[in-house]
């Protein structure tokens, strides 16, 4: 008798396992480090801005807390507004605004690279701020400026940490970075440099450091340095007063059942006909007014035997019909008693 052996099937192929990127200790954004290791292209969106990547390198950064590259270029005459709008209209969709400005002689290559790197590091400082909001990455998205000078993720994180330490050494209170700024009672002496004096001139109790940077056309981080130095000198302070307390509005009153002329419905408090043609009365006025009590009316023979008898302190029927307020109160009383 011949034994038949069934061949053992081969094991299934192992699934590919993604190599885990080693995240260095102290990384500001582990997701950004992983995208750099994978040479990703797209935009990383965080709570305070976005970083654009191309082959794992940072090519641009944007944040609502910093002036844009257009403002930095046009604020001090490096480029006129007309030239900027022309470049954006003709080359924005193709993502070559920077190249267009250089080719048309609007900017030199060195000036464009210098302004671009300043705007990139300025916005990246705010984008990489600690945040509890989740970040997301969109693959393939490119910035309209186009490639200028890519920067490695390690260089961006290293510069961001250096700037944090600088601000902390000047003045360690971070409240001045985002809160409205107010001047103190100490007068500014002649020793205040002109650059800081321009910042101090715009401090009005409402503007933040980002607002002042836009008004001056300066990078936001440079303005933060001046703000921290002025705070260390005792010339300004963050206005961290809590907002004024607003009492909650009272809840809406429950609907009042209508009288017998409105079976099953509710009277309309905004209809003058409901109150004998007089002005509607609010059940919850904004400023309560204590009405003067009606004068007592002596009982008359016509009302002495009426039913139900009048309650203590209740005006007679004639007086009630003459006063729409009393009519409303009587309707409310009758409706509650009918429940």
């Amino acid at each position: 008798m011949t034994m038949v052996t069934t061949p053992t099937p081969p094991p299934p192929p192992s699934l590919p396992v993604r190599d885990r990127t080693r995240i260095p200790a102290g990384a500001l954004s582990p997701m950004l480090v992983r995208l750099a290791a994978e040479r990703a292209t797209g935009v990383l969106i965080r709570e305070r801005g976005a970083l654009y990547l191309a082959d794992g390198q940072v090519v641009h950064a944007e944040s609502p807390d910093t002036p844009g590259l257009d403002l930095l270029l046009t604020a001090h005459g490096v480029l006129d507004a007309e030239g900027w709008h022309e470049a954006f209209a003709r080359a924005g969709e193709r993502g070559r605004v920077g190249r267009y400005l250089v080719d048309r002689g609007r900017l030199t290559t060195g000036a464009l690279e210098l302004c671009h790197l300043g705007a990139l590091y300025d916005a990246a400082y705010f984008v990489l701020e600690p945040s509890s909001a989740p970040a997301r990455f969109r693959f393939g998205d490119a910035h309209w400026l186009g490639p200028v000078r890519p920067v490695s993720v390690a260089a961006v994180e290293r510069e961001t940490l250096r700037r944090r330490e600088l601000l902390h050494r000047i003045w360690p209170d971070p409240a001045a970075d985002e809160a409205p700024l107010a001047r103190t009672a100490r007068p500014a002496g002649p020793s205040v440099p002109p650059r800081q004096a321009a910042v101090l001139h715009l401090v009005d109790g409402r503007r933040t450091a980002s607002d002042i940077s836009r008004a001056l056309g300066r990078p936001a981080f440079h303005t933060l340095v001046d703000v921290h130095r002025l705070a260390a000198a005792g010339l300004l302070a963050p206005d961290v007063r809590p907002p004024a307390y607003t009492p909650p509005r009272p809840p809406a009153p429950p609907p009042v059942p209508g009288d017998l002329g409105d079976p099953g419905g509710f009277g309309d408090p905004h209809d003058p006909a409901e109150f004998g043609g007089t002005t509607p009365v609010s059940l919850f006025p904004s400023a309560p007014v204590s009405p003067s009590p009606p004068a007592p009316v002596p009982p008359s023979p016509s009302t002495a035997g009426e039913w139900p008898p009048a309650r203590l302190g209740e005006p007679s029927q004639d007086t009630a019909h003459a006063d729409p307020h009393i009519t409303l109160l009587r309707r409310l009383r009758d409706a509650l008693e009918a429940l």
Side-chain angles (χ1 to χ4, degrees), residues 160-185:
T160 300
L161 290 174
R162 185 193 71 83
R163 296 187 176 202
R164 287 185 187 176
E165 294 172 359
L166 174 62
L167 291 181
H168 185 78
R169 286 199 309 269
I170 298 173
W171 183 251
D173 187 4
D177 297 355
E178 301 181 26
L181 303 173
R183 298 189 62 164
T184 61

Side-chain angles (χ1 to χ4, degrees), residues 123-211:
Y125 172 82
F126 294 92
V127 175
L128 294 177
E129 279 287 310
S131 171
S132 58
R136 63 185 188 276
F137 186 77
R138 291 206 305 256
F139 287 90
D141 284 12
H143 195 264
W144 45 261
L145 182 65
V148 178
R149 177 174 286 276
V151 182
S152 67
V153 168
V156 171
E157 291 199 337
R158 184 168 57 249
E159 176 62 17
T160 300
L161 290 174
R162 185 193 71 83
R163 296 187 176 202
R164 287 185 187 176
E165 294 172 359
L166 174 62
L167 291 181
H168 185 78
R169 286 199 309 269
I170 298 173
W171 183 251
D173 187 4
D177 297 355
E178 301 181 26
L181 303 173
R183 298 189 62 164
T184 61
R186 177 178 298 183
S191 60
V192 177
R195 184 181 183 88
Q196 296 179 21
V199 173
L200 191 61
H201 178 70
L202 295 178
V203 173
D204 57 359
R206 298 187 303 273
R207 291 189 178 100
T208 63
S210 295
D211 298 331

Side-chain angles (χ1 to χ4, degrees), residues 12-87:
S14 59
L15 297 176
V17 179
R18 175 180 172 181
D19 294 335
R20 290 186 174 273
T21 304
R22 293 179 59 88
I23 306 300
L28 300 181
S29 172
M31 185 177 183
L32 180 61
V33 174
R34 187 177 301 111
L35 292 170
E38 297 176 356
R39 302 180 62 86
T41 296
V43 55
L44 175 64
I45 303 173
R46 289 171 58 90
E47 183 179 11
R48 300 187 67 175
L51 295 176
Y52 287 82
L53 304 180
D55 293 330
Q57 291 187 305
V58 182
V59 295
H60 198 69
E62 288 183 343
S63 173
D65 297 300
T66 63
L69 180 62
D70 54 343
L71 180 58
L72 297 177
L73 288 173
T74 58
H76 303 287
V78 179
L79 179 68
D80 56 5
E82 181 181 354
W84 176 264
H85 292 311
E86 176 189 345

